[in-house]
Amino acid sequence: MRTDKAAVVLACMAIVVGIGSTVGPVKDMLQAMKPQPAAAVWGMVPKAEKKNLRASIENEAAKLNAAPVDAVVDRVWKAIPGYNGMEVDVEATYRETLLRGSTDAIQWVTRQIPAKITLDDLGAQPIYRGNPAKPMVSLMINVAWGNEYIVPMLDVLDQEKVKATFFLDGSWLSKNKALAEEIQKRGHELENHAYTHPNMSTLSKARATAEISKTQKLLKDSLGVENRWFAPPSGDFDQETVEIAASLGLKTVLWTLDTVDWTHPSPSSIVAKIGSKVEPGSLILMHPTRSSSVALKGMIDAIRAKGLTLGTVSETLSPERVLPVKVE
């Protein structure tokens, strides 16, 4: 028995030694299993494929490269944010793609070119939309009532992996902190919708300032939110409103498209309206109503069907580009 065991051990040693000295297919197979340096990976890609890859990258880069667009004050839309330009690093893209050992999916390496003029340079101006060159839109959900539909809407947003911006009425927030925390926990943006839902243009400067600042403080103290945006209740404001908000560090934002859901339209009519009118940069106004709650998934589907992504108000109004991931 001992002799048999010794024979097995010797045989195994011989196999190991044999493999170590193999110069044929077995050695190649074992070598391929080891981490390969970049040069070795590049060597696995045929020369013709490399040539075609570089040509493909250069051709696509010419289409993807874009000059930055400055923020402007439009006669109709007022403040329109800028949009960063983009430049493809052809050499780095070529190298990163080859490192993966395949030319099927291009691994883009890009850099953004900042716009020279941003929203901050335009002064106290209202904002109704994002840059029309940016393929992103936002859902603006103004909350002063409608608690029973908030969680169902949050569930749809979760299922669709969409983040929205909720503009909270301060008096609502003071009574519904737990529900506001639930919105926040789900990763949505929380912003300012004044305190008592007044018509801002009818208020004295002192009262208008208090309406905005009180909610701003409440957002900070109760939720730790650093407020950036102010949405005037009912879309009612004047230039003084915009200047007061600006003095508090806030930009005044309105909407591009309105669901008018407070009039209880059919969900299908909301979906049809948004699907036909949405475009890059749209800010879409809604409330936690039954109409918008039922229509929400259809709205998201209609937006995506137009090749648009959904982001928060901050993301949509940011000059940051929506970058390509790969071209197959």
Side-chain angles (χ1 to χ4, degrees), residues 8-24 26-27 30:
V8 171
V9 172
L10 289 172
C12 289
M13 291 176 64
I15 291 171
V16 171
V17 172
I19 290 175
S21 60
T22 299
V23 295
V26 175
K27 182 177 181 181
L30 293 176

Side-chain angles (χ1 to χ4, degrees), residues 22-184:
T22 299
V23 295
V26 175
K27 182 177 181 181
D28 293 341
M29 179 187 72
L30 293 176
Q31 184 68 23
M33 293 170 64
K34 298 179 181 178
Q36 301 292 298
V41 175
W42 295 340
M44 294 166 66
V45 180
K47 187 174 182 179
E49 280 193 38
K50 291 180 183 177
K51 184 177 180 180
N52 291 337
L53 173 63
R54 181 176 283 279
S56 178
I57 290 172
E58 289 174 349
N59 289 336
E60 290 296 331
K63 301 174 189 176
L64 292 172
N65 288 341
V69 180
D70 288 337
V72 297
V73 178
D74 182 76
R75 184 174 62 84
V76 175
W77 292 107
K78 304 305 179 184
I80 297 179
Y83 192 39
N84 290 348
M86 185 176 74
E87 183 175 68
V88 175
D89 186 328
V90 172
E91 187 59 38
T93 297
Y94 177 70
R95 186 169 59 249
E96 287 298 315
T97 302
L98 283 181
L99 276 173
R100 285 158 177 78
S102 171
T103 60
D104 292 339
I106 296 175
Q107 306 297 320
W108 294 105
V109 179
T110 64
R111 70 180 184 90
Q112 295 197 40
I113 306 170
K116 294 180 180 178
I117 302 174
T118 69
L119 278 178
D120 291 336
D121 300 316
L122 301 183
Q125 299 283 344
I127 304 164
Y128 288 84
R129 58 163 304 134
N131 192 290
K134 185 170 184 174
M136 180 180 284
V137 304
S138 291
L139 303 178
M140 296 175 56
I141 305 175
N142 289 355
V143 182
W145 35 264
N147 289 12
E148 64 270 38
Y149 299 108
I150 291 177
V151 171
M153 293 177 80
L154 290 175
D155 290 341
V156 172
L157 293 170
D158 280 352
Q159 292 161 12
E160 297 301 315
K161 296 180 172 56
V162 170
K163 300 305 179 189
T165 299
F166 288 76
F167 288 87
L168 306 184
D169 173 271
S171 61
W172 179 91
L173 174 55
S174 67
K175 301 168 188 171
N176 296 278
K177 182 181 176 183
L179 194 48
E181 287 176 332
E182 180 65 20
I183 298 171
Q184 184 179 40

Side-chain angles (χ1 to χ4, degrees), residues 96-317:
E96 287 298 315
T97 302
L98 283 181
L99 276 173
R100 285 158 177 78
S102 171
T103 60
D104 292 339
I106 296 175
Q107 306 297 320
W108 294 105
V109 179
T110 64
R111 70 180 184 90
Q112 295 197 40
I113 306 170
K116 294 180 180 178
I117 302 174
T118 69
L119 278 178
D120 291 336
D121 300 316
L122 301 183
Q125 299 283 344
I127 304 164
Y128 288 84
R129 58 163 304 134
N131 192 290
K134 185 170 184 174
M136 180 180 284
V137 304
S138 291
L139 303 178
M140 296 175 56
I141 305 175
N142 289 355
V143 182
W145 35 264
N147 289 12
E148 64 270 38
Y149 299 108
I150 291 177
V151 171
M153 293 177 80
L154 290 175
D155 290 341
V156 172
L157 293 170
D158 280 352
Q159 292 161 12
E160 297 301 315
K161 296 180 172 56
V162 170
K163 300 305 179 189
T165 299
F166 288 76
F167 288 87
L168 306 184
D169 173 271
S171 61
W172 179 91
L173 174 55
S174 67
K175 301 168 188 171
N176 296 278
K177 182 181 176 183
L179 194 48
E181 287 176 332
E182 180 65 20
I183 298 171
Q184 184 179 40
K185 184 178 75 173
R186 304 229 195 166
H188 301 287
E189 185 172 48
L190 304 182
E191 295 296 336
N192 194 321
H193 196 44
Y195 197 84
T196 62
H197 209 272
N199 289 330
M200 297 295 296
S201 68
T202 67
L203 305 181
S204 67
K205 183 174 182 179
R207 171 75 190 284
T209 301
E211 282 284 338
I212 302 172
S213 63
K214 191 172 180 180
T215 296
Q216 184 179 37
K217 184 175 187 301
L218 187 59
L219 283 165
K220 175 65 174 178
D221 293 346
S222 64
L223 300 171
V225 169
E226 294 290 347
N227 192 194
R228 295 184 60 190
W229 310 101
F230 169 64
S234 305
D236 182 87
F237 72 100
D238 56 17
Q239 183 58 29
E240 184 176 65
T241 306
V242 179
E243 291 171 0
I244 290 169
S247 73
L248 295 170
L250 308 181
K251 288 182 171 56
T252 299
V253 61
L254 291 109
W255 61 85
T256 321
L257 293 175
D258 188 356
T259 60
V260 200
D261 52 6
W262 53 274
T263 63
H264 312 295
S266 68
S268 61
S269 69
I270 292 179
V271 173
K273 176 181 181 179
I274 299 306
S276 66
K277 295 185 177 183
V278 70
E279 58 186 10
S282 290
L283 305 178
I284 303 168
L285 176 64
M286 66 183 71
H287 305 81
T289 64
R290 179 187 177 279
S291 294
S292 281
S293 179
V294 176
L296 186 54
K297 185 181 185 310
M299 292 169 60
I300 293 170
D301 290 342
I303 290 165
R304 287 173 169 164
K306 285 197 165 183
L308 303 171
T309 59
L310 292 108
T312 63
V313 166
S314 289
E315 290 170 333
T316 299
L317 299 184

